[in-house]
Amino acid sequence: MTTKRREVAGIRPYDAPAGGWGALKATAVAVRTQMDMMEAPVTLMRTNQPMGFDCPGCAWPDKEHRSTFQFCENGAKAVTWEATKKRVTAAFLAQNTVTSLLEKSDYELENYGRLTQPLSYDRATDTLRPVSWEAAFDRIGTVLRGLSPNQTEFYTSGRASNEAAYLFQLFAREYGTNNFPDCSNMCHEATSVGLPRSIGIGKGTVSLDDFDETELIISIGHNPGTNHPRMMGTLHEASRRGVPIIVLNPLKERALERFTDPQNVIEMATYGSTRIASSYYQVKSGGDTAALKGIMKALLALDEAQRGAIDHDFIAEHTQGFAQFSDDLRNTSWESIEKESGLQRAELQQVAAAYAKSRATIVSYGMGITQHNKGTANVRLIADLLLLRGNFGKPGAGICPLRGHSNVQGNRTVGITEKPSSQFLQNLQDVFGFTPPREHGHDSVRAMQAMIDGQAKALLCLGGNFAVAMPESERSFQAMKQLDLSVHVGTKLNRSHLLVARETFILPCLGRTELDIQAGERQSVTVEDSMSMVHASSGKLKPASESLRSEPAIVAGMAMATMPQSKVQWQDLVSNYDAIRDLIEKTIPGFDDYNKRIRIPGGFRMPLPPTERKWPTETGKAMFSVFKGVSEDVKIQADDVLRLITLRSHDQYNTTVYALDDRYRGVFGRRDVLFMNDIDLEKHGLEHGDLVDIETVVSDRKLSMPGITVIAYDIAPGSVGAYYPEANVLVPLDYFDEDSGTPSYKSVPVRVTRSDKQNQLP
Ligand SMILES: Nc1nc2c(c(=O)[nH]1)N[C@H]1C(S)=C(S)[C@@H](COP(=O)(O)OP(=O)(O)OC[C@H]3O[C@@H](n4cnc5c(=O)[nH]c(N)nc54)[C@H](O)[C@@H]3O)O[C@H]1N2
Ligand SMILES: Nc1nc2c(c(=O)[nH]1)N[C@H]1C(S)=C(S)[C@@H](COP(=O)(O)OP(=O)(O)OC[C@H]3O[C@@H](n4cnc5c(=O)[nH]c(N)nc54)[C@H](O)[C@@H]3O)O[C@H]1N2
Ligand SMILES: [Mo]
């Protein structure tokens, strides 16, 4: 970038490495603005410790939960945000109508602090008013009994514990529905659907030890410096061992370039840093399908030239479908691969050559792979790549999906799914004596469509911010208001709570960090991390208010009020969570000696057959996939159509915005920007700092976002980026992966034009 750019407010390059002193400073600010200084150090030290709570930040594991406190800036933000001193009081709510609160930003809403008592919406005054727990439960029960079960949607956000999630699915299934929209449907559903088809189980296969032994890491479509910060320690270590790290990502992400480990005294003292990516390929948004096919095509060519680039013995013994798979690769042209991926043949050949040399490879991936309308196919292509060299069931190798919410994987394991297996339903029937519904239910997109069509009448949310997380805000916000009943179990106020239905209840719960006493005993819950480790989590802080209840207690309260004749002993389960775990053990495989094993520090690992080269697929073999062609289904392709990526900033947790900076990308105090490559700026006749309008290219309706400041950024040409959740107004609800139902949040076809508002700039 040689040309001198105009100054744009809040935009300045951040030249420092990720981590380091910048991260320490940011942590201090988070603590100062949210927490009591006396409590903060103790609370932070308890994160991910044997007798402490599991970090609500991300699902990256810890070495046996025994390590000394691992510093993590964004983990600290997640903890301090929950352990804040700020409170939403009845007096505050009496003074602020729901209509006026809806004018506030997502950041302001949560920043009012913790919810302190159950609330119900009062239409006459347009305010949220305190209500007793019993009155709330009674009314929820009465409304639900008046509906047919399939008119109710049971939404889960992946922070809920195994115990709360298990009770939630039990409630819904005894009530009579499999409608389980779930944050996973917007996140790693492509993994949950794609991997079972390839290797027989929808989970990652690596452990932290594998990172110690790996010879190559390929990182595709995830941003660990922000979203899985504890992974940075692992990558840092690997890089220092000389392990090549190949990155495929349209954006230059600072943490994937270089990182200073705050635990490393020398690096900190000398202002040093470690390079992370050994090579960085800026694939186009949605271009991974083509890139992966290109790498594998090159690998086959290498093998033809000199046998040994692929593992023929492994393929013969353990897989099926190789012939069709390799035929398809041979028939895919380099021209189409280069065009769609935005990468050169020679670059993809380099990746193939590095891969052919490595005896143990890990591929890690995140939302850059799954949130596309070919997300499931993308995941399967990654599995294919690993199968080609037998990178399952050996040390240092495997697939590593980076999960989202800290217990999203556990929620799935304990039965939050709209497509339950018949065996699981039978187990419920045998143990509880009620007949669960067999027909499949709604995922997130289908639930929202049912709400828009008026088929769904009630929505119960175990956490989360459903309407804001979903695509097409205009329609999803309206759908919330059409409901007869919405119920939100949450810790902080958010927009979904305020998009009130005919009747709305907000039920405040204990957070992870807080002490949970039932029948006089301290309780712990359990969670499963990205590497299938299940362990206990137990908070110690004094609850934010005396009126809070635990998530299991709230779910049980609603269930008892809805089903007075229930066959489940809800009260006993709430009195002692061991009793919930006993039921999980009885109905779900892999939880043998559950209560015993979670009392061992570090917990235990769920079964992962592919790590022993066992493949619980229909054929008993690992399956290659065939992806015809190279591209996503883009309804409208034209020269001036760009692909929009919706992104998280460094200062946010999903719809929770902690602050307005995105330090590593050089954006400060604002979120109303569009990242664009210099080449595209020039093509569009735009300059860094111009005001633009974005419009989604859909045929039948207008989705637009006016008045955004376009800024020059090192992003693949043809791709642009804007922040989630603001940009959800642009994501079409009906543009999703058919296999997994995941919205295409990372490849929305858009046009960008100079804004009329430009003239109004000062
Ligand atoms: N601090 C913090 N931690 C979090 C979260 C948070 O919001 N804040 N969210 C949690 C949740 S629920 C989740 S799911 C995870 C999300 O963690 P990530 O998977 O890291 O999610 P995103 O921020 O959406 O970033 C996606 C990355 O993919 C790249 N990308 C976008 N499109 C493409 C593409 O087409 N191809 C490729 N190869 N790359 C692409 C983007 O440039 C970006 O670097 O993090 C979890 N942890
Ligand atoms: N455009 C676009 N949209 C996306 C994405 C994207 O990349 N781009 N990513 C998608 C992804 S990966 C995900 S996972 C979804 C996230 O969707 P959700 O999981 O629905 O959203 P969150 O923002 O994580 O939910 C925040 C709320 O959870 C509540 N909460 C926090 N802690 C607790 C707790 O301990 N218990 C309870 N009961 N409630 C709690 C608080 O009230 C808070 O306001 O968004 C999706 N939407
Ligand atoms: Mo997620």
Side-chain angles (χ1 to χ4, degrees):
M1 319 268 151
T2 42
T3 46
K4 190 160 166 15
R5 298 192 195 285
R6 75 156 85 125
E7 296 269 329
V8 179
I11 309 300
R12 48 180 193 274
Y14 186 79
D15 293 325
W21 292 103
L24 280 188
K25 194 173 139 211
T27 309
V29 173
V31 169
R32 197 169 61 233
T33 49
Q34 295 297 333
M35 278 184 84
D36 191 333
M37 286 303 270
M38 295 298 287
E39 256 182 358
V42 185
T43 306
L44 292 175
M45 299 290 273
R46 260 190 226 126
T47 319
N48 289 343
Q49 295 304 297
M51 287 304 291
F53 57 87
D54 185 71
C55 181
C58 76
W60 186 256
D62 281 275
K63 274 230 160 119
E64 298 176 356
H65 263 226
R66 254 182 269 181
S67 53
T68 50
F69 171 63
Q70 278 202 15
F71 171 81
C72 165
E73 175 193 340
N74 280 358
K77 282 186 209 153
V79 170
T80 52
W81 193 251
E82 178 175 299
T84 178
K85 311 175 284 213
K86 303 181 188 178
R87 299 287 179 269
V88 173
T89 60
F92 169 83
L93 292 169
Q95 284 152 17
N96 292 276
T97 61
V98 165
T99 309
S100 70
L101 289 172
L102 276 170
E103 303 283 308
K104 306 289 179 189
S105 68
D106 295 308
Y107 164 67
E108 287 168 301
L109 290 179
E110 286 214 21
N111 201 29
Y112 289 128
R114 290 287 299 274
L115 294 161
T116 50
Q117 50 199 323
L119 303 167
S120 79
Y121 179 62
D122 177 57
R123 194 163 295 277
T125 55
D126 185 30
T127 55
L128 290 163
R129 289 189 161 183
V131 57
S132 73
W133 282 102
E134 278 55 43
F137 290 153
D138 264 7
R139 186 60 203 151
I140 293 165
T142 305
V143 176
L144 291 186
R145 278 198 305 278
L147 297 174
S148 89
N150 283 336
Q151 291 178 313
T152 304
E153 307 288 345
F154 286 79
Y155 177 71
T156 324
S157 165
R159 204 181 268 201
S161 62
N162 281 358
E163 290 73 9
Y166 185 78
L167 292 191
F168 198 54
Q169 65 80 33
L170 201 57
F171 170 21
R173 293 201 164 108
E174 187 175 17
Y175 172 63
T177 184
N178 283 313
N179 283 346
F180 288 106
D182 166 12
C183 73
S184 184
N185 297 139
M186 309 174 219
C187 183
H188 262 293
E189 189 67 7
T191 301
S192 304
V193 173
L195 281 188
R197 293 179 190 168
S198 292
I199 59 169
I201 187 165
K203 299 180 179 186
T205 64
V206 295
S207 69
L208 277 184
D209 291 339
D210 288 317
F211 279 88
D212 295 339
E213 295 184 54
T214 192
E215 294 189 6
L216 171 68
I217 299 169
I218 304 180
S219 146
I220 316 182
H222 66 103
N223 182 22
T226 291
N227 299 319
H228 300 90
R230 279 176 295 117
M231 186 191 196
M232 290 313 301
T234 307
L235 292 176
H236 184 263
E237 234 171 83
S239 168
R240 296 197 139 212
R241 265 195 313 116
V243 175
I245 300 175
I246 295 175
V247 171
L248 271 83
N249 195 316
L251 271 86
K252 273 283 169 68
E253 302 284 23
R254 177 55 45 82
L256 290 170
E257 296 178 295
R258 54 202 155 89
F259 179 70
T260 303
D261 188 348
Q263 327 276 359
N264 185 318
V265 179
I266 297 181
E267 219 169 58
M268 290 294 276
T270 57
Y271 289 88
S273 66
T274 298
R275 68 109 188 112
I276 298 297
S278 48
S279 33
Y280 206 121
Y281 299 101
Q282 287 181 276
V283 64
K284 269 195 209 169
S285 138
D288 305 273
T289 323
L292 285 161
K293 285 188 80 170
I295 296 166
M296 294 191 285
K297 186 179 169 76
L299 195 70
L300 288 187
L302 271 181
D303 189 71
E304 271 156 27
Q306 194 180 11
R307 216 171 147 83
I310 64 175
D311 186 340
H312 293 275
D313 294 343
F314 176 89
I315 293 171
E317 192 185 337
H318 290 288
T319 71
Q320 269 189 23
F322 178 71
Q324 297 92 310
F325 163 81
S326 50
D327 283 349
D328 172 68
L329 285 181
R330 277 186 211 98
N331 293 332
T332 308
S333 73
W334 274 113
E335 195 192 356
S336 65
I337 289 171
E338 288 191 329
K339 179 165 180 276
E340 195 61 27
S341 67
L343 301 174
Q344 305 289 312
R345 175 177 178 168
E347 294 176 306
L348 297 168
Q349 283 170 329
Q350 279 164 13
V351 180
Y355 182 49
K357 266 205 328 219
S358 157
R359 283 168 302 178
T361 300
I362 293 174
V363 182
S364 59
Y365 67 93
M367 298 299 101
I369 281 290
T370 60
Q371 292 177 332
H372 291 285
N373 71 27
K374 288 290 172 236
T376 303
N378 279 343
V379 170
R380 295 206 62 188
L381 287 168
I382 293 178
D384 294 334
L385 177 67
L386 289 165
L387 287 173
L388 282 175
R389 289 187 50 77
N391 277 309
F392 288 103
K394 69 179 179 192
I399 193 157
C400 178
L402 288 147
R403 291 278 166 174
H405 271 296
S406 51
N407 195 38
V408 59
Q409 186 162 319
N411 286 187
R412 271 269 184 269
T413 306
V414 301
I416 300 292
T417 168
E418 74 285 359
K419 295 195 259 339
S421 71
S422 43
Q423 183 62 56
F424 174 56
L425 297 177
Q426 192 57 47
N427 294 352
L428 290 180
Q429 185 160 341
D430 293 347
V431 170
F432 294 100
F434 65 80
T435 311
R438 304 277 153 168
E439 73 182 290
H440 288 172
H442 294 153
D443 61 10
S444 289
V445 167
R446 287 180 183 91
M448 186 52 83
Q449 282 166 340
M451 285 164 55
I452 292 170
D453 299 345
Q455 283 169 28
K457 305 281 185 203
L459 170 71
L460 270 56
C461 296
L462 185 57
N465 192 357
F466 182 52
V468 178
M470 285 293 285
E472 248 187 279
S473 315
E474 196 175 324
R475 286 209 285 169
S476 60
F477 287 10
Q478 185 53 37
M480 296 291 287
K481 299 188 202 158
Q482 287 165 210
L483 290 166
D484 287 351
L485 173 71
S486 60
V487 179
H488 302 274
V489 180
T491 49
K492 291 204 164 178
L493 203 58
N494 66 40
R495 195 167 306 281
S496 297
H497 302 169
L498 298 170
L499 293 162
V500 287
R502 186 178 300 161
E503 289 181 75
T504 289
F505 293 91
I506 302 174
L507 307 177
C509 64
L510 294 171
R512 282 266 176 90
T513 53
E514 290 166 330
L515 194 59
D516 180 357
I517 306 269
Q518 304 291 342
E521 296 278 331
R522 178 175 172 199
Q523 304 292 320
S524 55
V525 293
T526 53
V527 295
E528 176 179 340
D529 67 30
S530 260
M531 297 186 182
S532 302
M533 293 297 299
V534 178
H535 47 74
S537 168
S538 180
K540 262 198 181 155
L541 288 185
K542 187 167 159 249
S545 143
E546 282 178 359
S547 311
L548 301 186
R549 292 199 181 173
S550 75
E551 289 179 339
I554 298 171
V555 173
M558 293 193 286
M560 285 186 283
T562 309
M563 304 173 295
Q565 311 297 326
S566 172
K567 300 220 184 320
V568 179
Q569 303 301 315
W570 296 100
Q571 200 52 60
D572 296 349
L573 298 179
V574 174
S575 306
N576 181 353
Y577 299 172
D578 279 357
I580 308 177
R581 288 185 282 269
D582 284 339
L583 291 172
I584 295 178
E585 180 176 338
K586 278 193 192 144
T587 47
I588 300 168
F591 284 102
D592 312 82
D593 291 325
Y594 195 178
N595 276 309
K596 206 162 123 205
R597 287 196 293 164
I598 53 139
R599 287 180 163 81
I600 303 165
F604 61 92
R605 198 163 197 212
M606 293 299 289
L608 284 170
T611 61
E612 298 158 40
R613 300 202 163 172
K614 295 192 182 126
W615 320 100
T617 57
E618 271 175 25
T619 58
K621 298 280 183 191
M623 300 300 294
F624 279 100
S625 72
V626 174
F627 182 94
K628 292 272 178 221
V630 283
S631 66
E632 308 212 336
D633 298 330
V634 183
K635 297 210 169 73
I636 299 169
Q637 298 249 31
D639 274 353
D640 63 339
V641 173
L642 299 159
R643 301 271 187 97
L644 172 74
I645 298 171
T646 59
L647 287 163
R648 292 163 167 78
S649 79
H650 191 60
D651 278 352
Q652 85 183 71
Y653 195 94
N654 298 341
T655 68
T656 298
V657 178
Y658 302 127
L660 301 176
D661 294 349
D662 192 8
R663 189 168 79 241
Y664 299 151
R665 299 196 187 109
V667 180
F668 298 90
R670 61 190 297 183
R671 294 171 55 85
D672 55 342
V673 296
L674 179 72
F675 299 98
M676 193 187 267
N677 184 290
D678 275 318
I679 297 172
D680 289 317
L681 279 173
E682 201 180 309
K683 260 196 202 165
H684 283 74
L686 293 168
E687 260 184 67
H688 176 70
D690 278 350
L691 216 53
V692 296
D693 298 336
I694 314 172
E695 191 168 326
T696 304
V697 188
V698 275
S699 45
D700 56 342
R701 53 199 187 281
K702 190 175 158 87
L703 303 178
S704 60
M705 197 175 176
I708 298 297
T709 299
V710 67
I711 58 172
Y713 196 83
D714 198 352
I715 179 172
S719 310
V720 286
Y723 292 119
Y724 144 63
E726 292 85 338
N728 265 340
V729 294
L730 293 167
V731 184
L733 184 64
D734 53 5
Y735 186 52
F736 58 87
D737 178 22
E738 291 289 345
D739 286 318
S740 69
T742 312
S744 308
Y745 293 120
K746 296 284 189 271
S747 49
V748 182
V750 294
R751 282 201 177 88
V752 175
T753 49
R754 184 181 295 280
S755 177
D756 293 340
K757 290 191 188 164
Q758 181 75 26
N759 301 335
Q760 298 159 22
L761 273 184

